[in-house]
Amino acid sequence: MSKRNLALIGATIVSIIYGVTFTIAKDVMPLYIDAYGFILLRAGGSVLLFWLVWLFMPKEKIALQDFPRIIAAAFFGVAFIMLTFFKGLSLTSPISAAVIMVSTPMIVLALSAIIMKERMKSRMVFGIILGLIGTAFLILYGKSIGSATNAGLGNFLVLVNAISYGFYLIIVKKLMDKYNAFSFVKWIYLFGFIMVLPFGWSQFDAVNWSAIPVTISWKIVFVVVISTFLTYLLNLLSMKELKPTTVAVFIYLQPLFATIFAIGLGKDELSVVKIISALLIFIGVYLVTQKKSVE
């Protein structure tokens, strides 16, 4: 099997894991652990795992001039992305969050045009606008069932998270072209952990660990080990062979898996607003990512 096919499989696995994570993390927050406390636990656990794995990997020195890029990747890919996503997810529903994350490929393309000076066609601009309209529609009118305490704010924070993820994909690509993933991801998570520490410590310290059921404990382990450590690793390995926009495209699968899992467990329900918003976003995504036609 080619390296590209392995990268595509890895990206697909990441989408499945993330789709399931929307509901699993929602079961933990905010009843047992508040959002920022959960983020600190997630980042701290991943720091330990990445540094432990690094001990058994070939050693590679990171150039000093690359640390500003690593710190930027830590901010956009760990600290800011987790703070906005988990806080947003604690306020909205799994399906709404997953649908909004579909806007990420369009965001990556727009950021590539701005940062990397890539040319954008009118079709792409129209697709981005259409997708953003769908996202805004969902944020403003996408009411949710269950524990969606503030769906509007929650949806907005998930959108900000998607923008942060777009920055991260572009920033980390140059590191992937230069180093082995294990050489710098440990630094990304170490800096990210330091950044989230002031926000999450008080909530982490307030957790009543003895009151957490065994089933919830296993869900916490899943989020730390599978949804964080494994997915970040698979994403980085995929980006070794794929472009940032290609990796971002796999986010399209997340709403499908999130919807199936959430509805199957009775954690959420579809609505007309969510369906219309999803259609607008998917049409926008199609316009942005379709290949150039032969003229």
Side-chain angles (χ1 to χ4, degrees):
M1 186 177 293
S2 68
K3 290 183 178 180
R4 178 176 173 80
N5 286 339
L6 286 174
L8 292 172
I9 292 173
T12 302
I13 292 172
V14 169
S15 294
I16 295 173
I17 294 172
Y18 277 151
V20 171
T21 300
F22 285 108
T23 296
I24 290 180
K26 186 71 175 175
D27 289 341
V28 179
M29 309 178 303
L31 183 60
Y32 298 100
I33 304 177
D34 217 337
Y36 291 168
F38 198 13
I39 290 167
L40 183 62
L41 179 62
R42 186 183 180 188
S46 296
V47 166
L48 294 176
L49 289 172
F50 278 120
W51 278 87
L52 182 63
V53 171
W54 172 77
L55 294 176
F56 303 95
M57 292 292 169
K59 304 302 181 287
E60 188 177 22
K61 187 176 181 180
I62 303 294
L64 191 61
Q65 63 265 26
D66 287 325
F67 273 95
R69 180 175 289 273
I70 288 175
I71 292 172
F75 176 77
F76 289 110
V78 178
F80 195 57
I81 196 173
M82 285 190 182
L83 291 171
T84 52
F85 175 74
F86 270 63
K87 186 63 177 179
L89 185 58
S90 71
L91 298 173
T92 189
S93 73
I95 292 178
S96 294
V99 168
I100 291 173
M101 285 301 295
V102 176
S103 63
T104 299
M106 294 181 291
I107 293 169
V108 171
L109 187 68
L111 291 176
S112 296
I114 297 170
I115 298 173
M116 304 172 72
K117 308 300 181 183
E118 292 184 3
R119 187 181 175 186
M120 289 179 62
K121 295 185 174 294
S122 57
R123 160 181 55 81
M124 296 179 177
V125 174
F126 178 69
I128 290 173
I129 293 173
L130 197 63
L132 291 179
I133 290 173
T135 304
F137 194 45
L138 183 62
I139 290 174
L140 294 173
Y141 303 106
K143 304 301 181 183
S144 302
I145 66 168
S147 55
T149 55
N150 191 340
L153 177 59
N155 291 339
F156 174 74
L157 289 175
V158 174
L159 175 61
V160 173
N161 158 82
I163 296 172
S164 180
Y165 184 61
F167 273 111
Y168 164 75
L169 288 179
I170 293 173
I171 290 169
V172 83
K173 178 59 177 174
K174 287 189 176 181
L175 294 172
M176 283 303 308
D177 292 340
K178 190 174 181 180
Y179 302 107
N180 180 284
F182 288 101
S183 299
F184 64 84
V185 69
K186 66 183 190 298
W187 289 110
I188 288 180
Y189 259 90
L190 179 59
F191 288 125
F193 173 73
I194 293 171
M195 291 175 189
V196 302
L197 187 59
F199 296 92
W201 175 253
S202 61
Q203 293 183 0
F204 177 80
D205 189 51
V207 175
N208 182 6
W209 296 101
S210 62
I212 296 179
V214 175
T215 54
I216 297 298
S217 297
W218 280 112
K219 290 180 180 180
I220 293 173
V221 171
F222 177 90
V223 172
V224 173
V225 178
I226 306 299
S227 302
T228 310
F229 171 74
L230 183 60
T231 56
Y232 266 74
L233 186 58
L234 287 175
N235 251 342
L236 288 172
L237 294 176
S238 296
M239 288 188 68
K240 193 75 174 177
E241 303 295 328
L242 306 173
K243 294 180 180 180
T245 49
T246 304
V247 174
V249 162
F250 279 86
I251 288 178
Y252 306 164
L253 298 176
Q254 290 184 21
L256 173 63
F257 298 125
T259 299
I260 293 172
F261 196 68
I263 293 178
L265 296 179
K267 301 290 185 179
D268 205 348
E269 62 182 10
L270 286 174
S271 67
V272 174
V273 169
K274 291 174 184 175
I275 293 172
I276 293 175
S277 298
L279 286 175
L280 288 173
I281 292 173
F282 275 110
I283 292 171
V285 163
Y286 171 76
L287 292 174
V288 167
T289 58
Q290 69 173 329
K291 293 182 179 180
K292 181 180 178 181
S293 59
V294 179
E295 299 178 0

